[in-house]
Amino acid sequence: MNILIQGGNILTMESEEIQVGDIGIVDDRIAFIGRDETFVPDKVISADDCIVMPGLVNAHTHSAMTLLRNYADDLLFWDWLEGTILPIEDKLTGEDVYLGAKLAIAEMIRSGITTFADMYMFMDDVARAVEETGIRANLSQGITGQGEEGIEKIEESLSFYHKWNGSNDGLIRVDFAPHAPYTCDDAYIGHIMDTIKGLDTRIHTHLSESRDEVKRSLELHGTTPIAHMRDLGLFEFPTYAAHCVHLTDEDIEILKQNNVSVINNPGSNFKIANGFAPVKKLLQAGVNVSVATDGAASNNNLNMFEEMNLAALANKAVEEDATTVPAYTALSMGTINGARALGLETQIGTLAVGKKADIIIIDLSKPHFYPRFNLISSLIYSAQAGDVKTVLCNGQVLMQDYELLTMNEKEVLTEADLAAARFKNR
Ligand code: NI
């Protein structure tokens, strides 16, 4: 199918330049950017008075935690995680996770997200939701274990990999997710590394999220979580690590040396009061930093415009330096840097001929977009998720003129609500 996106302000994210023109799509790929009078479209989407840019990459979330949205708030971190969230998660079924993932995908498409990295349980059910809705995702089963205990989860992850990696026309990738150094002991990490040798996959994990986690690691191993994972050899596999809030200068050097991508989750870190990742230092060191929402139980939404805004604002405030994380850097964190973290930078993250057609169209006909001094600034400092009007992923239109096309949204909302009522009483 040939689709023409006509007459938008195109921000390719290959540079800061904005050009007015068209984008031609043939099947799943971008065929041209600019003008081509010979192109014969089957479908025309007007981008008049809109920005056309790459779909956003939410590089760390737990999608089905939408079901726990606003269930446990304003608690201390360990009370939140171990006292409240983990016990209720034990009651979730595969069907709950499927419905929660559908809810998350609806919300993410509405916020301009075309790719997300998910770490959770019942991942077959998440994959089913991803496949049905046409979004792109790196999926991983979050696993925890001590020695041989929990080893069956590594086997499950491996079966999940063989079943889904590269499926749905390559939209689904499968990664491996040792949940965190404090939930996986050294032997367990060793088993994971033995299992994934030679596979086309990545490691998705949480590192140095809280001050307490770093303290526990220093007591147990005499090193920080990041130095410890390096010592175990985990970073010999391509790795993207959520949080990285409490870092030493040596940690930053290790992340850079080992090409580990950092996923900044400012909304979640602020809400659980874990602090601020040293994004300025990480960027200066040349570490690939992207941005993500984390789960909806610690955010409490999956709004990447809010997250990019927070990434810019928080770092300015913390550093007392308004030049830190300028708008274009924040946009790069939400697009190409996320793609790089997930190993997808040759396919998505910027708009270029031959790349996959993961494209969002943002409606500028709102009061907060006037006047028009600087459209890049407007995307970070003024735009709202609700300004995303049309979304394409892999050349398929997922939302057009604010209407979700690959799911019955009303049904998804109702079903999620019913699921929440059921597991609460289980
Ligand atoms: Ni997380």
Side-chain angles (χ1 to χ4, degrees):
M1 170 130 118
N2 289 2
I3 298 177
L4 183 70
I5 298 176
Q6 196 169 43
N9 299 286
I10 302 169
L11 172 62
T12 63
M13 293 307 296
E14 300 246 301
S15 77
E16 296 190 40
E17 189 199 340
I18 291 180
Q19 51 170 310
V20 176
D22 306 334
I23 295 182
I25 299 162
V26 176
D27 301 326
D28 56 343
R29 288 182 194 273
I30 297 172
F32 74 87
I33 298 174
R35 288 267 186 267
D36 181 351
E37 303 299 338
T38 65
F39 189 71
V40 183
D42 302 303
K43 180 183 175 78
V44 177
I45 296 173
S46 168
D48 187 37
D49 204 25
C50 292
I51 290 175
V52 181
M53 65 173 285
L56 303 176
V57 179
N58 185 10
H60 175 73
T61 189
H62 313 279
S63 60
M65 287 183 94
T66 46
L67 292 185
L68 306 178
R69 194 196 317 265
N70 302 321
Y71 175 75
D73 298 315
D74 309 328
L75 296 171
L76 296 175
F77 179 61
W78 295 106
D79 293 341
W80 175 80
L81 184 65
E82 289 175 348
T84 317
I85 293 296
L86 294 178
I88 189 83
E89 278 184 333
D90 281 343
K91 297 185 182 179
L92 295 179
T93 64
E95 187 60 15
D96 293 333
V97 167
Y98 167 75
L99 296 170
K102 283 282 270 283
L103 177 63
I105 292 167
E107 186 181 359
M108 287 195 279
I109 294 171
R110 286 203 169 282
S111 135
I113 294 164
T114 51
T115 300
F116 70 105
D118 206 42
M119 181 203 293
Y120 214 53
M121 52 194 175
F122 299 111
M123 292 309 291
D124 279 313
D125 297 287
V126 178
R128 195 154 56 91
V130 168
E131 190 173 49
E132 284 173 18
T133 53
I135 197 166
R136 191 182 297 281
N138 279 42
L139 304 178
S140 50
Q141 182 190 15
I143 53 177
T144 61
Q146 314 291 324
E148 303 300 306
E149 188 199 312
I151 205 153
E152 72 286 350
K153 292 181 211 154
I154 303 176
E155 292 301 318
E156 273 171 35
S157 286
L158 187 61
S159 322
F160 178 63
Y161 170 88
H162 286 305
K163 186 169 171 195
W164 291 97
N165 192 44
S167 70
N168 204 25
D169 195 22
L171 286 168
I172 296 178
R173 308 274 319 158
V174 174
D175 296 331
F176 284 74
H179 168 265
Y182 59 90
T183 48
C184 300
D185 73 5
D186 296 0
Y188 196 71
I189 297 277
H191 286 312
I192 294 171
M193 293 192 295
D194 290 343
T195 303
I196 68 173
K197 262 189 196 117
L199 300 184
D200 173 25
T201 192
R202 304 175 94 73
I203 292 285
H204 180 187
T205 190
H206 297 97
L207 289 178
S208 299
E209 179 175 5
S210 68
R211 206 179 287 282
D212 195 47
E213 174 191 338
V214 177
K215 193 171 144 248
R216 288 187 193 188
S217 175
L218 287 169
E219 283 165 9
L220 202 61
H221 310 293
T223 52
T224 63
I226 283 164
H228 187 59
M229 288 301 115
R230 186 266 324 264
D231 293 345
L232 290 179
L234 190 67
F235 299 154
E236 283 161 31
F237 301 90
T239 300
Y240 54 105
H243 305 300
C244 300
V245 171
H246 298 280
L247 302 182
T248 63
D249 288 348
E250 196 206 341
D251 287 338
I252 292 173
E253 193 49 37
I254 292 171
L255 294 168
K256 168 66 190 155
Q257 291 292 326
N258 292 276
N259 222 359
V260 175
S261 287
V262 168
I263 317 299
N264 183 216
N265 297 267
S268 171
N269 298 150
F270 294 0
K271 181 161 178 288
I272 307 181
N274 273 329
F276 308 91
V279 171
K280 181 183 178 179
K281 272 188 171 178
L282 286 161
L283 290 170
Q284 277 171 349
V287 175
N288 181 48
V289 184
S290 74
V291 68
T293 60
D294 207 353
S298 63
N299 189 303
N300 291 353
N301 58 43
L302 307 177
N303 175 352
M304 277 288 284
F305 281 92
E306 184 175 290
E307 226 54 48
M308 293 189 294
N309 174 269
L310 284 175
L313 264 51
N315 287 288
K316 293 174 195 303
V318 172
E319 302 291 342
E320 297 188 40
D321 174 3
T323 67
T324 297
V325 190
Y328 188 74
T329 303
L331 274 176
S332 300
M333 289 169 68
T335 53
I336 183 64
N337 294 10
R340 209 172 279 134
L342 306 186
L344 300 174
E345 70 276 17
T346 59
Q347 297 182 50
I348 60 162
T350 63
L351 302 183
V353 172
K355 273 194 154 180
K356 296 284 190 178
D358 287 18
I359 300 173
I360 59 175
I361 302 178
I362 296 155
D363 182 359
L364 294 174
S365 66
K366 312 269 178 84
H368 52 269
F369 286 117
Y370 283 83
R372 306 270 174 86
F373 285 120
N374 182 331
L375 288 179
I376 290 176
S377 285
S378 76
L379 286 170
I380 292 300
Y381 302 123
S382 316
Q384 307 293 320
D387 302 329
V388 179
K389 184 182 180 183
T390 295
V391 173
L392 291 90
C393 181
N394 212 39
Q396 184 186 11
V397 186
L398 304 187
M399 177 166 81
Q400 185 164 8
D401 296 329
Y402 301 103
E403 189 194 343
L404 296 179
L405 302 184
T406 57
M407 65 175 93
N408 179 335
E409 188 176 17
K410 215 169 172 185
E411 199 176 281
V412 168
L413 305 188
T414 308
E415 291 286 326
D417 217 17
L418 291 171
R422 280 195 303 268
F423 73 72
K424 207 179 80 187
N425 296 321
R426 213 167 269 148

